[in-house]
Amino acid sequence: MDLAITLDNNLSKPLHQQLYEELRQAILTGKLTPGERIPSTRSLAKSLAVSRFTVTTSYEQLLSEGYLETVTGRGTFICQQIPDDLIYSNLVENRDKTNLSSIKLSKYGDSLVKIKNVPRIAEPRLEINFRYGTPALNEFPIKIWRRLLSHYCNTNFNWLDYSTEPLGYQPLRKAITRYLTRSRAVNCEPEQILITNGTQQALDLILRLLIEPGETIAIENPGYLSARIIFETQQSQILPIRVDNSGLIVKELAESTNKNIRLIYVTPSHQFPTGAILSLPRRLELLNWAQQTGGLIIEDDYDSEFRYGEKPIPALQGLDKSDCVLYIGTFSKVLFPSLRIGYLVLPKSLVTIFTRAKWLNDRHLPILEQQVLAEFIESGYLDRHIRKMRSIYNQRRQILVKALKKHFGKRVKILGEKAGIHLMVCFKTNLSDQEIIQRAAKVGVGMMSANPHYLTNHPRGEFIFGYGELTESQLQQGILRLAEIITFP
């Protein structure tokens, strides 16, 4: 990385002091961002044509003041929490206001500016990171995927051209149909499946086509933050509905004084972030509510493949008799996030309008990846991979739960351990969430608070623990380190 730094030998101020001030200003103004790696003393000295002693002296001052931190074997980085964090925030905010002062934004643009709880993944360079949503990428059958890619890449060149299938690659839609029918009891045909660029695009299409600004959307509280932000930026009125051990409390939805609820967003198979599973009686109750009110249900089935010790409950969509459920699925958790292939199962009456909107939005997803994924499913590789990963994740889940109980005992409450690749832990401590996160970072552990996922009644001490990408040793060591830094009354 090259740094635009100017040093002047003619000034009375020493070069190391000039360099220190230049780097500090770059950090405070956001030119160098928290977590970013900076050049080694040797490489920076060479690029600036100064002695290594000059650079080392500057770095040491920044290290002592808390602007930089070193990671053994990896280099020097900008600290996640810099001393002048508030100054930095103000500078960035003022800079943004200055840049936008002469440019009028749309209502959508204004809503994005006002967003406070922007989703943020825990700093990945920490030695042990309990970030959620990331699968065990080192277990993915990359050789099989590479072979399929090579085959379709060399067989023909139709993947280089525009797609003639606005719903998505037909063999992939057929493969997904068979997969959903078999594994999730979803009732659909290939013509009802729209291939999307992940869950986010599916939600965006639903909002733009079915919801007017100002209409009410009910959501789980706590719930998936990214979905809530999409709803808020479309000027929707958000109605939070509480969640308990059996999932969404449908009774609160039915008894709400707001009679203009147009849509509800739910994660029934593994509620995010609590991990609760919506019971069958409540599923039927929710479908009955939709049928009686004319409301629509978005069912986000993001990681239902991973269940441990319990029989799977059929998807809401498979129980739906009145075409009120829009079913969203993705391959980000079961395969790998960068694939960005998701799908939306639509009522037949909505297929045409959604297809038109999708075509105008981005025409189509890359054809080659769709071809490979279709073959991956049809050849049985997907089922084989899921069986393998379910066993691996189950073992890691047990290690994590055992470690939490061993080191914390009754001072923690564990939620959602029967499914998915994350669980939620409630610590009975007087420490604030930010204090816990900062203490954990100092011992090399990344943590994420559940607090931003609440719209109301924000609790303290609730954290989301992802375990999909961590080894058994990392899980045990991570909890041991937390036990040393989290204090209890």
Side-chain angles (χ1 to χ4, degrees), residues 207-222:
L207 265 289
R208 286 195 287 150
L209 291 173
L210 302 180
I211 303 296
E212 292 288 352
E215 289 189 316
T216 301
I217 299 177
I219 63 171
E220 300 161 321
N221 189 42

Side-chain angles (χ1 to χ4, degrees), residues 165 167-176 190-191 195 370 374:
E165 300 174 285
L167 279 171
Y169 184 56
Q170 187 183 48
L172 176 58
R173 290 187 283 113
K174 289 182 177 179
I176 291 174
E191 291 70 28
I195 305 300
Q370 293 185 70

Side-chain angles (χ1 to χ4, degrees), residues 224-255:
Y224 183 41
L225 178 57
S226 293
R228 190 179 90 207
I229 290 176
I230 291 176
F231 302 153
E232 290 175 339
T233 54
Q234 296 290 345
Q235 290 82 54
S236 301
Q237 298 297 315
I238 308 298
L239 176 66
I241 304 295
R242 289 188 304 125
V243 173
D244 64 14
N245 292 335
S246 297
L248 182 83
I249 303 176
V250 183
K251 183 179 179 181
E252 290 191 3
L253 177 68
E255 294 178 351

Side-chain angles (χ1 to χ4, degrees), residues 157-187:
F157 299 103
N158 63 353
W159 56 272
L160 293 171
D161 201 355
Y162 288 106
S163 173
T164 58
E165 300 174 285
L167 279 171
Y169 184 56
Q170 187 183 48
L172 176 58
R173 290 187 283 113
K174 289 182 177 179
I176 291 174
T177 298
R178 286 189 280 270
Y179 170 71
L180 291 178
T181 302
R182 180 182 71 252
S183 65
R184 299 295 296 123
V186 169
N187 182 23

Side-chain angles (χ1 to χ4, degrees), residues 305-308 384-399 467 472:
E305 290 85 358
F306 305 121
R307 298 183 59 78
Y308 315 110
R384 188 184 309 170
H385 181 61
I386 290 174
R387 287 194 298 270
K388 172 187 173 183
M389 299 315 299
R390 187 182 291 127
S391 175
I392 291 174
Y393 292 147
N394 185 29
Q395 189 170 1
R396 293 180 181 180
R397 173 190 68 93
Q398 292 181 45
I399 293 292
Y467 53 84
E472 294 179 17

Side-chain angles (χ1 to χ4, degrees), residues 71 84 108 172 245 276 441 455 461 479:
V71 179
D84 301 81
Y108 176 73
L172 176 58
N245 292 335
L455 189 59
I479 299 303

